[in-house]
Amino acid sequence: MTDSEIVEKAKAYLGGKALEVANPSLRRIFITVAPGDLAAAVTALRDHMGFLYLATISGVDDKDDFELLYHFGNEHVCLNVRTRIPKSAPRIASITPVIPGAIFYERELQDMFGIIVENIPDPRPLVLPDDWPAENFPLRKDWKFERPEEKIPGGKP
Amino acid sequence: MKVTIPIGPQHPALKEPISLRMTVDGEVIKDADLRLGYNHRGLEKLAEEKTWVQNIYLTERICGICSHSHATCFVQGVEKLMEIDPPKRGLYIRILVSELERAHSHLLWLGIAGHEAGFDSFFMYTWRDREIVMDLLEIISGNRVHYAINTLGGVRRDVDEAQRAKILGSLDTLRKRTEFYLMIGANEPSFVARLARVGYLSKDDAVALCAVGPTARASGVARDVRKDDPYAVYGEVPFEVCTADSCDVLGRTVVRVKELLQSYNIIEFLMKNLPEGSIAVKAPRKAKPNEVVSRYEAPRGENIHYIKSNGTDKPERLKVRAPTLANYAATVKMLKNGFIADIPLIFAAIDPCICCAERTVEVVDARSGEERTLRFSELRRMAGERFEKVSQKRNAAWPF
């Protein structure tokens, strides 16, 4: 199946949900959807087009917004579903009811960007430790690492 | 009665630090929980502060076994961003190193599978033969672990006639030995009895939980980026995707041994059809604002890098997903309803690479027992208090 056939099929199944469909290079398709339509779009892609495999979710800090990319793959192409959510209200619905394997990537997203994934079955931190200070989200652009002052136990005061 | 057993982050059965929580009822695992974050490295954040060339060496250090995988995945993405095409000879050498790396990684894994199954002579045999591959990698790149062969626009070292003859000559021994391992892996009664029906992962679960690599292929899911999304020169190299239907650790062993034989065929094809010409083109220092999704089939499964450029000499964002993270959800499924004694075997069967999966934040620890939780900061404070009380330790004379 060629790229253009998949683009046509995706447009037919997603209808008005696909705000923008791009095919910038061979076997790479980018589809932009509204955050509210994400779960419905992912369901349609899974049921009708065989995109069962979610490779990962990438978050990008883009000024006032967060851009989320859900990278799917099948035997023909790599399809990326893009959505944008405002930084002031970073909320996105979980896609684990559709793709159970998304759980680790959604937990990572919560840790690194402070995005609240709604209805996530397991909201515990994944990559950050238990005693990580609250409201510190390392992959946001305004977060800078400051090395804590080193104290040697038993050393000179 | 249900008991929770913590395994790791430091444990003799684990080669790398990861924390597992097993809820057991007698000998049977009822629930399994994986806790990451013991040794996170802040790599994605760090990559935003380094230039494109510096990042090749950074991504190479994501993993010590599949070091070439991450570097290649990154480099071929950046080449697309910079709109440069590496010459064919460069791509052939890049893929040659990839396949040699796959061979050494699978031979290493076979040894570990033998060791975890209590079959240590198998471990010694495979690791001896792995040295042949390591020597080949050393004569090509000068290094045994971080080959540093990739650069933007091609590779850094050429392969000469003598090296080519040496590589082709070594393949006979490797083929003969691997066929012997396939025979043992599929026929040796005690080995088969130990591996069969352990760590069951059905095809439906492998699909639903997005498993990758040999773990998915042993459950009958023919998912291989080299075939699905042929990068570099894989479009013109003949090879087969190896699968198994047994869905257990035995299937994962057989898949890996068959992949070894395929890798040798690919190496032979590459060496016999090595095109003439240059090995690299010059790359620009900056990349235009754009984005790229780069995929690569590492020995453990699919690597995916999402790279976004902003017009400078540094990336705006580098997202790395290593195959081990993709297989964790499936591992939890495999461990459930298994036996405690099978934990090392099941966990080793995904060929876990903790340092690949743990790449995002700084070194921290949280350790919890069955009854109480002690945080690392508390432990540190307690250690400090204790040291302060020990008076003779303070201002102690250095013994030498």
Side-chain angles (χ1 to χ4, degrees):
Chain A
M1 201 183 274
T2 62
D3 287 9
S4 53
E5 282 169 13
I6 290 174
V7 168
E8 288 310 312
K9 246 180 121 176
K11 276 182 184 164
Y13 282 118
L14 295 177
K17 290 192 197 89
L19 304 175
E20 193 191 331
V21 181
N23 185 9
S25 59
L26 188 64
R27 293 191 293 274
R28 295 287 182 275
I29 296 172
F30 288 82
I31 298 177
T32 310
V33 299
D37 291 336
L38 179 75
V42 171
T43 313
L45 290 171
R46 182 196 67 168
D47 292 345
H48 301 297
M49 297 178 64
F51 286 102
L52 294 153
Y53 167 58
L54 175 75
T56 190
I57 305 171
S58 299
V60 182
D61 182 341
D62 194 7
K63 294 180 190 81
D64 298 331
D65 290 336
F66 287 123
E67 193 177 81
L68 302 179
L69 287 118
Y70 292 70
H71 308 284
F72 289 89
N74 71 355
E75 63 274 31
H76 305 296
V77 291
C78 172
L79 186 140
N80 307 282
V81 179
R82 189 201 307 269
T83 188
R84 293 180 82 86
I85 51 175
K87 229 181 208 176
S88 50
R91 285 176 175 277
I92 190 81
S94 171
I95 63 159
T96 43
V98 192
I99 311 266
I103 179 72
F104 280 93
Y105 311 126
E106 289 187 345
R107 282 171 68 184
E108 192 180 1
L109 213 56
Q110 295 204 113
D111 281 12
M112 304 315 275
F113 289 96
I115 293 167
I116 298 157
V117 181
E118 282 163 345
N119 299 325
I120 187 166
D122 182 2
R124 292 174 304 161
L126 177 72
V127 291
L128 295 181
D130 298 351
D131 53 355
W132 186 259
E135 302 299 313
N136 273 268
F137 304 115
L139 281 181
R140 288 191 180 189
K141 290 278 179 197
D142 55 7
W143 190 89
K144 290 273 178 287
F145 175 62
E146 279 162 27
R147 192 172 285 279
E149 196 193 337
E150 196 169 2
K151 267 185 85 175
I152 302 165
K156 283 174 189 161
Chain B
M1 191 186 77
K2 280 190 179 167
V3 179
T4 305
I5 305 179
I7 299 176
Q10 304 288 351
H11 192 274
L14 301 171
K15 309 286 177 292
E16 284 179 278
I18 183 161
S19 177
L20 305 166
R21 291 284 132 82
M22 302 292 166
T23 308
V24 293
D25 189 1
E27 279 288 302
V28 181
I29 302 163
K30 288 291 170 198
D31 197 13
D33 183 24
L34 281 171
R35 290 163 57 101
L36 310 184
Y38 175 69
N39 193 5
H40 260 273
R41 297 188 286 162
L43 210 138
E44 289 176 15
K45 189 80 178 173
L46 183 62
E48 291 170 11
E49 288 163 20
K50 300 220 175 267
T51 64
W52 296 114
V53 175
Q54 287 172 328
N55 271 326
I56 304 172
Y57 300 93
L58 182 67
T59 48
E60 189 152 28
R61 274 145 188 83
I62 290 175
C63 184
I65 305 261
C66 43
S67 58
H68 184 72
S69 307
H70 283 286
T72 309
C73 193
F74 176 76
V75 160
Q76 63 191 19
V78 178
E79 279 163 359
K80 288 214 179 85
L81 289 176
M82 291 178 169
E83 294 163 356
I84 48 174
D85 279 321
K88 207 141 200 200
R89 190 179 173 91
L91 288 177
Y92 265 65
I93 295 171
R94 192 180 279 175
I95 298 307
L96 167 75
V97 177
S98 296
E99 290 303 323
L100 283 171
E101 184 188 68
R102 193 181 316 279
H104 103 68
S105 175
H106 280 1
L107 283 168
L108 177 135
W109 182 84
L110 274 180
I112 292 184
H115 172 70
E116 301 289 5
F119 188 8
D120 273 334
S121 19
F122 193 64
F123 157 71
M124 287 168 203
Y125 273 161
T126 49
W127 280 44
R128 182 192 63 190
D129 298 333
R130 177 172 171 263
E131 284 303 308
I132 301 175
V133 186
M134 299 301 275
D135 287 346
L136 293 181
L137 283 166
E138 194 177 343
I139 60 163
I140 296 170
S141 68
N143 299 318
R144 278 166 63 92
V145 179
H146 295 301
Y147 318 115
I149 195 114
N150 279 319
T151 187
L152 298 175
V155 291
R156 294 174 60 223
R157 284 164 203 274
D158 205 351
V159 172
D160 66 18
E161 251 342 282
Q163 290 170 336
R164 207 163 105 167
K166 176 106 202 275
I167 294 168
L168 283 170
S170 305
L171 286 177
D172 290 339
T173 326
L174 286 169
R175 269 210 191 95
K176 216 184 289 165
R177 301 297 307 171
T178 307
E179 272 158 16
F180 174 65
Y181 300 143
L182 187 60
M183 197 267 285
I184 291 215
N187 295 311
E188 218 284 315
S190 57
F191 195 49
V192 171
R194 182 71 188 88
L195 302 184
R197 308 298 292 166
V198 171
Y200 186 79
L201 180 73
S202 69
K203 187 175 177 179
D204 293 343
D205 284 336
V207 170
L209 297 172
C210 303
V212 293
T215 310
R217 290 197 281 275
S219 293
V221 184
R223 183 178 286 158
D224 191 324
V225 181
R226 294 177 291 171
K227 260 299 186 249
D228 300 345
D229 188 4
Y231 51 89
V233 291
Y234 277 115
E236 55 196 65
V237 180
F239 73 99
E240 283 168 27
V241 178
C242 308
T243 56
D245 296 319
S246 61
C247 309
D248 54 7
V249 179
L250 182 65
R252 282 159 222 152
T253 312
V254 171
V255 163
R256 286 192 174 96
V257 181
K258 284 186 177 166
E259 279 186 15
L260 275 173
L261 294 167
Q262 292 296 328
S263 280
Y264 303 148
N265 291 346
I266 298 174
I267 293 166
E268 189 175 3
F269 178 90
L270 293 172
M271 284 294 92
K272 287 197 171 151
N273 298 287
L274 190 64
E276 293 298 319
S278 62
I279 54 166
V281 291
K282 199 169 178 343
R285 210 165 57 82
K286 294 177 180 177
K288 277 185 250 170
N290 204 346
E291 59 184 350
V292 71
V293 179
S294 180
R295 300 167 84 198
Y296 177 96
E297 185 72 20
R300 288 157 183 75
E302 183 197 3
N303 259 349
I304 181 163
H305 286 201
Y306 169 75
I307 312 164
K308 190 171 182 175
S309 55
N310 54 6
T312 64
D313 59 349
K314 289 171 184 156
E316 170 82 8
R317 173 88 169 98
L318 168 67
K319 162 80 190 173
V320 177
R321 200 293 315 265
T324 305
L325 188 66
N327 278 335
Y328 276 155
T331 315
V332 172
K333 185 86 194 168
M334 286 182 231
L335 287 167
K336 273 183 194 167
N337 297 320
F339 291 110
I340 296 176
D342 293 339
I343 295 170
L345 201 56
I346 295 171
F347 199 66
I350 66 161
D351 201 357
C353 185
I354 313 301
C355 60
C356 283
E358 301 259 31
R359 50 169 210 288
T360 339
V361 187
E362 284 70 45
V363 186
V364 209
D365 176 15
R367 183 180 301 184
S368 62
E370 200 186 330
E371 289 163 355
R372 61 190 187 132
T373 306
L374 269 187
R375 289 180 177 160
F376 187 62
S377 50
E378 282 174 54
L379 277 174
R380 255 185 101 151
R381 184 182 51 76
M382 283 161 66
E385 276 174 13
R386 197 182 130 72
F387 264 95
E388 271 164 22
K389 281 179 196 146
V390 183
S391 54
Q392 67 270 30
K393 278 258 174 161
R394 300 187 81 183
N395 307 321
W398 191 244
F400 301 110

